[in-house]
């Protein structure tokens, strides 16, 4: 039980015994049916008025339906009950349920009222899992399948059902429970295909909960094992292996990106639809034959994913892969559309195995679009999910993507240090590359070009077109090298970017390339390139690169002593970057404007003083002397989440301690957004 659930549990234990019993009935009945709750309570001799203390405590609302204050209240109530009490409650709910009108729900309650194996009930649960998923998402289906496995008397059939349940638990983000079910399944007499699926699922759990580097060799071996047993599943396995390989960059040992790509190109083709095969072969071609050979195929496949409808479990895996590949071929439109669709689908289905990585992709996308506030809200969601599932891997990675753009050195260094610790534990290649990229963005924004150059150089040491942070480091390398008087190195990096841009052909790619080449040219050639960059980028969502290109052009114009022209572009850059919340780059633009003779005041203080509603609540409670656990208890969040929000509050208000909060808020600088 996590800290959030423990906080709720303490609230529940303070209630009268009859109220706790009514809460348990409500927790055991997942639909929120008030009539059913009332009938079951009557069967157990409990008055309906027993719910009033729980409503007063803010834990539950009983109106037209039963609503818990938070899903974790429900789980805390249910988990605190002793087994006999839970069985009695489910028996009452089964007796109160009409077997004709709701056969599925009655089977669920009968199953949980059972103390021993029962094949009839187990088969009914297995049969009803799809309908349960339609009603309550993958977590509900996982619960049906897990209980079906527990009630199965035959060992072979129990193993198969345990394997199916493990997969559903994994999809719902219950990684520990999934591993327990996997271990149970492998103790049963599984056939060869079952054993192969078990190995695959174990690898997928590692990818979602631990690291891409640890999962890559497991996925590669699982794909090899499945080629003859299930070609379609083998292709999906190689898909996940390719994703892991692009995340990990260059693993120190074991399977590499090229190994997976060759396996893809040599394996039997998978089933329709064609877009899946097109995307997989296109990415494999990039890895084996070069960027220009595979990019057109990848872009064609991405267009098909955007246009065609995609549903179900199959959609989560392939849509995730497509979203991950879109920015690597400089396709901003599909990156935005597919990553947003993936997040929406993962939320709708409750697929917590996919949602953290989907949020990371959308955070990256919104940051590149200059929507840092939207990206921060998505990051907060990823942090919460990480706490619930026990896997903070993608939340840390998403923070690493966002913080450098805001230009706050302390916050960025804290995130980098957290990720670096993860690197040391897991040996993650790309996470280290991503940390170098983050440092380079931060220091370029702050105008500390020697430090930016060192980080960007380390981040691009092993050029690999299918590793996003490597491409990002090349972009930062051009600016850092040009500003630190390393023209040859800047030109080399700009040339590498242009080669990829020409192969991609998108305005995002070509506009970025023009901006990079503008920095390594002089005179009319530089001006032509900067104008091309702005013209192309204005046709895209890549607002962050557009703002930076205007900044670079304005700085170049000022150095050319064209002050009036410089003011136009620097002024636009300053407005854009300030509105985005990219404080360091905005300050660079402000200083350049001042150098042209323009008078301009800072806007960072106003930006720092704007707190969200929740941040104001937390800041006020902390200013009143409450501890993080006490604040979390009042606001139904964990102490870790309170700490995370307070760090943001300190940065926005420009303070360093809790003692300063009360005075700062009383002065009125903590206005809500």
């Amino acid at each position: 039980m996590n800290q959030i659930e423990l906080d709720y549990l303490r609230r529940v234990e303070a209630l009268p015994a009859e109220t706790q019993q009514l809460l348990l009935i409500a927790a055991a009945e997942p639909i929120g049916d008030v009539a059913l709750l009332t009938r079951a309570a009557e069967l157990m001799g409990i008055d309906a008025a027993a719910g009033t203390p729980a409503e007063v405590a803010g834990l539950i609302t009983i109106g037209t339906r039963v609503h818990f204050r938070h899903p974790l209240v429900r789980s805390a109530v249910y988990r605190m009950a002793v087994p006999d009490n839970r069985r009695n409650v489910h028996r009452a709910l089964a007796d109160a349920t009409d077997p004709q009108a709701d056969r599925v729900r009655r089977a669920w309650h009968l199953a949980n009222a059972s103390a021993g194996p029962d094949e009839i009930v187990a088969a009914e649960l297995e049969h009803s899992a799809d309908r349960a998923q339609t009603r309550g998402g993958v977590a509900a289906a996982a619960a049906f399948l897990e209980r079906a496995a527990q009630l199965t008397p035959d060992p072979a059939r129990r193993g198969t059902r345990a394997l199916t349940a493990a997969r559903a638990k994994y999809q719902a983000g219950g990684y520990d429970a999934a591993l327990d079910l996997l271990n149970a399944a492998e103790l049963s007499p599984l056939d060869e295909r079952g054993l192969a699926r078990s190995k695959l699922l174990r690898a997928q759990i590692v990818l979602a909960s631990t690291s891409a580097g640890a999962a890559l060799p497991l996925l590669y071996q699982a794909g090899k094992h499945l080629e003859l047993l299930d070609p379609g599943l083998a292709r999906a396995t190689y898909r996940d292996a390719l994703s892991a390989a692009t995340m990990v960059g260059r693993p120190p040992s074991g399977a590499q990106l090229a190994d997976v790509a060759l396996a893809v190109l040599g394996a039997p083709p998978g089933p329709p639809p064609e877009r899946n095969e097109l995307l997989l072969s296109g990415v494999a071609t990039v890895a084996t034959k070069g960027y220009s050979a595979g990019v057109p195929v990848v872009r064609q496949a991405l267009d098909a994913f955007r246009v065609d409808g995609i549903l179900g479990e199959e959609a989560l895996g392939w849509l995730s892969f497509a979203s991950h590949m879109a920015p690597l071929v400089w396709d901003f439109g599909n990156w935005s559309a597919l990553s947003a669709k993936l997040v929406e689908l993962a939320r709708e289905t409750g697929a917590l195995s996919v949602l953290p990585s989907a949020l990371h992709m959308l955070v990256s996308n919104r940051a590149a679009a200059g929507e840092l506030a939207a990206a921060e809200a998505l990051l907060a969601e990823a942090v919460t999910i990480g706490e619930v599932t026990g896997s903070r891997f993608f939340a840390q990675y998403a923070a690493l993507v966002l913080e450098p753009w805001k230009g706050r050195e302390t916050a960025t260094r804290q995130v980098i240090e957290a990720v670096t610790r993860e690197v040391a534990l897991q040996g993650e290649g790309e996470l280290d590359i991503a940390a170098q990229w983050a440092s380079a963005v931060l220091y370029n924004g702050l105008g500390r070009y020697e430090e930016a150059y060192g980080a960007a150089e380390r981040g691009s040491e092993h050029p690999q077109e299918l590793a996003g942070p490597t491409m990002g480091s090349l972009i930062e390398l051009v600016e850092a090298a040009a500003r630190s008087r390393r023209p040859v190195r800047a030109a080399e990096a700009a040339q590498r970017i242009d080669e990829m841009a020409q192969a991609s052909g998108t305005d995002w790619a070509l506009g970025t390339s023009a901006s990079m080449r503008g920095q390594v040219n002089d005179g009319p050639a530089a001006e032509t390139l900067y104008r091309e960059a702005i013209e192309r980028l204005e046709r895209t969502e890549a607002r962050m690169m557009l703002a930076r290109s205007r900044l670079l052009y304005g700085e170049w114009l000022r150095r050319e002593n064209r002050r009036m022209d410089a003011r136009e572009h620097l002024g636009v850059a300053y407005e854009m970057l300030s509105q985005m919340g990219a404080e360091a780059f905005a300050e660079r633009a402000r200083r350049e404007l001042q150098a042209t003779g323009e008078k301009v005041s800072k806007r960072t203080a106003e930006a720092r003083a704007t707190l969200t509603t929740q941040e104001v609540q937390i800041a006020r409670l902390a200013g009143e002397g409450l501890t993080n656990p006490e604040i979390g208890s009042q606001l139904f969040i964990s102490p870790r989440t309170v700490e995370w929000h307070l760090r943001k509050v300190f940065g926005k208000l420009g303070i360093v301690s809790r003692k300063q909060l009360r005075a700062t808020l009383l002065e009125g600088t903590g206005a809500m957004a």
Side-chain angles (χ1 to χ4, degrees):
M1 188 173 290
N2 62 40
Q3 184 60 50
I4 303 176
E5 287 179 306
L6 288 172
D7 291 339
Y8 290 139
L9 183 55
R10 283 193 287 269
R11 288 169 172 256
V12 172
E13 288 174 335
L15 298 172
E18 194 172 57
T19 301
Q20 293 184 39
Q21 189 76 347
L22 188 73
L23 280 176
L24 178 58
I25 299 172
E29 201 296 292
I31 308 301
D33 188 329
V34 175
L36 183 59
L37 172 67
T38 302
R39 288 198 300 272
E42 288 175 353
L43 289 171
M44 297 188 72
I46 299 171
D47 193 294
T52 301
E55 291 192 272
V56 172
L59 295 171
I60 197 170
T61 300
I62 303 175
T64 56
R65 301 198 72 78
V66 180
H67 293 285
F68 279 91
R69 169 67 176 78
H70 190 285
L72 292 180
V73 178
R74 181 191 295 274
S75 64
V77 169
Y78 193 79
R79 291 169 66 181
M80 70 177 277
V82 297
D84 283 345
N85 202 5
R86 283 201 294 262
R87 283 195 289 270
N88 290 336
V89 162
H90 281 291
R91 189 171 294 110
L93 285 165
D95 291 342
T97 301
D98 187 336
Q100 302 302 319
D102 203 340
R103 179 180 174 185
V104 172
R105 199 181 341 178
R106 187 169 186 274
W108 168 250
H109 291 308
L110 284 173
N112 284 282
S114 301
D118 188 326
E119 175 57 31
I120 294 175
V121 176
E124 186 66 32
L125 285 172
E126 184 179 36
H127 179 72
S128 303
D130 286 343
R131 189 176 298 178
Q133 180 165 336
T134 301
R135 290 181 176 182
V138 292
F144 269 61
L145 293 166
E146 181 180 22
R147 188 61 179 148
Q150 292 168 351
L151 293 176
T152 303
D154 178 67
R157 185 171 293 176
R158 185 167 59 247
T160 302
R161 284 175 176 163
L163 182 56
T164 304
R167 177 155 192 81
K169 283 288 185 181
Y170 149 74
Q171 291 171 335
Y175 304 127
D176 290 341
L179 287 172
D180 288 342
L181 284 163
L182 263 184
N183 292 334
E186 290 171 354
L187 292 174
S188 303
L190 294 175
D191 59 18
E192 188 175 3
R193 191 171 186 275
L195 286 171
R197 292 176 69 90
S198 176
K199 290 179 180 178
L200 168 58
L201 182 54
R202 197 173 290 277
Q204 290 171 325
I205 293 170
V206 170
L207 178 61
S209 64
T210 306
S211 74
L216 177 57
L218 301 177
L219 289 165
Y220 177 69
Q221 291 301 324
K224 283 291 186 183
H225 194 182
L226 283 162
E227 279 188 16
L228 295 177
L229 297 170
D230 189 334
L233 187 56
R235 304 293 281 180
T237 303
Y238 286 140
R239 172 202 68 204
D240 293 344
L242 279 177
S243 288
T246 59
M247 279 193 276
V248 78
R250 191 179 291 263
S253 61
Q256 305 285 318
L257 174 62
D259 297 322
V260 181
L262 289 171
V264 167
L265 297 174
E274 182 183 348
R275 65 180 178 219
N276 295 355
E277 188 65 25
L278 198 64
L279 180 59
L280 197 60
S281 60
V283 173
T285 300
V286 170
T288 55
K289 298 181 181 179
Y291 196 76
S292 60
V295 165
V297 180
V298 175
R299 291 199 58 208
Q300 181 185 348
L302 293 175
D303 287 339
F305 272 92
R306 185 173 183 176
V307 172
D308 299 343
I310 184 166
L311 300 170
E313 180 186 343
E314 181 260 358
L316 290 170
W318 286 102
L319 194 54
S320 178
F321 187 52
S323 301
H324 188 60
M325 292 301 112
L328 303 182
V329 296
W330 301 84
D331 189 341
F332 209 110
N334 278 327
W335 184 24
S336 297
L338 296 176
S339 57
K341 185 184 292 186
L342 177 63
V343 167
E344 181 183 4
L345 182 60
R347 284 172 177 160
E348 287 177 353
T349 59
L352 296 187
S353 61
V354 174
L355 186 53
S357 62
L359 288 168
H360 161 249
M361 282 185 272
L362 196 53
V363 165
S364 303
N365 176 265
R366 292 301 85 196
E371 297 179 5
L372 300 188
E376 191 158 14
L378 293 165
L379 173 58
E381 184 178 353
V383 169
T384 300
I385 293 169
E387 290 177 352
V388 172
T389 63
S391 175
R392 293 183 292 275
F393 169 74
F394 282 108
Q396 289 177 337
Y397 201 4
L400 189 68
V401 169
L402 177 59
E403 288 297 339
W405 291 118
K406 294 191 288 186
R408 299 171 191 166
E409 185 171 7
T410 300
T412 304
R413 296 310 309 172
Q414 287 174 345
V415 173
I416 289 174
E417 287 168 8
V419 169
T420 301
R421 287 194 296 270
E422 186 75 18
V423 171
L425 290 172
Q426 306 297 343
E428 281 295 304
E430 196 203 355
L431 280 176
D432 187 41
I433 295 170
Q436 299 299 338
W437 165 83
S439 295
V441 171
L442 173 69
Y443 292 130
N444 270 334
L446 294 171
R448 289 155 55 177
Y449 299 113
E450 283 292 339
E451 291 168 275
Y453 174 78
E457 192 71 272
R458 289 188 294 273
S460 57
E461 280 178 346
H462 303 293
Q464 206 267 80
E465 294 92 340
L466 291 180
T470 299
M471 293 199 325
S473 289
L474 281 173
I475 291 172
E476 302 307 322
L477 182 59
V478 174
E479 185 169 333
R483 295 301 178 90
S484 61
R485 299 180 182 178
R486 295 176 172 91
V488 174
R489 188 68 185 101
E492 290 172 351
Q495 176 61 30
R496 184 70 195 94
I497 292 168
D498 190 55
E499 290 170 2
M500 289 187 282
Q502 296 301 324
S504 170
T506 66
D507 279 324
W508 180 25
L510 294 171
T512 300
S513 172
S515 185
M516 298 304 103
R517 288 181 291 131
Q519 296 176 74
V520 299
N521 277 274
D522 297 312
E527 182 159 22
T528 299
L529 287 166
Y530 281 129
R531 287 186 174 276
E532 178 189 349
I534 292 168
E535 181 182 350
R536 287 187 179 277
L537 291 169
E538 281 182 334
R539 297 197 288 262
T540 76
E541 289 184 75
R543 309 296 291 174
M544 186 67 78
M545 181 55 67
L546 172 61
R548 289 184 67 179
S549 296
R550 283 194 176 274
L551 172 59
L552 289 166
Y553 184 29
E555 289 172 331
W556 180 83
L557 288 167
R558 188 190 66 78
R559 291 195 300 272
E560 294 291 306
N561 291 318
R562 294 167 55 182
R563 293 191 173 190
M564 293 300 293
D565 293 336
R567 286 176 187 173
E568 174 190 349
H569 292 281
L570 290 171
V572 173
Y574 179 58
E575 288 291 331
M576 290 180 69
L577 292 164
S578 296
Q579 290 174 9
M580 291 174 186
E583 295 180 12
F585 284 103
E587 176 61 13
R588 239 177 74 181
R590 190 188 72 84
R591 289 197 304 266
E592 288 287 332
L593 270 172
Q594 285 184 321
T596 67
E598 186 84 354
K599 291 184 178 180
V600 57
S601 59
K602 288 188 179 183
R603 296 189 180 182
T604 53
E606 179 183 347
R608 285 196 186 103
T610 303
L611 306 184
T612 66
T613 302
Q614 188 171 50
E615 286 168 353
V616 168
Q617 287 180 303
I618 291 171
R620 284 176 178 160
L621 292 172
E624 291 169 5
L626 273 69
T627 65
N628 288 359
E630 289 170 338
I631 295 170
S633 179
Q634 284 202 27
L635 301 181
F636 297 95
I637 56 178
S638 75
R640 189 188 300 274
T641 300
V642 173
E643 181 184 358
W644 183 76
H645 280 297
L646 279 174
R647 286 202 302 268
K648 294 197 298 176
V649 168
F650 290 167
K652 289 182 178 182
L653 299 182
I655 60 178
V656 296
S657 73
R658 299 166 83 100
K659 292 181 180 179
Q660 297 172 274
L661 275 172
R662 187 174 179 83
T664 303
L665 291 172
L666 287 173
E667 289 170 5
T669 58
M672 291 186 293

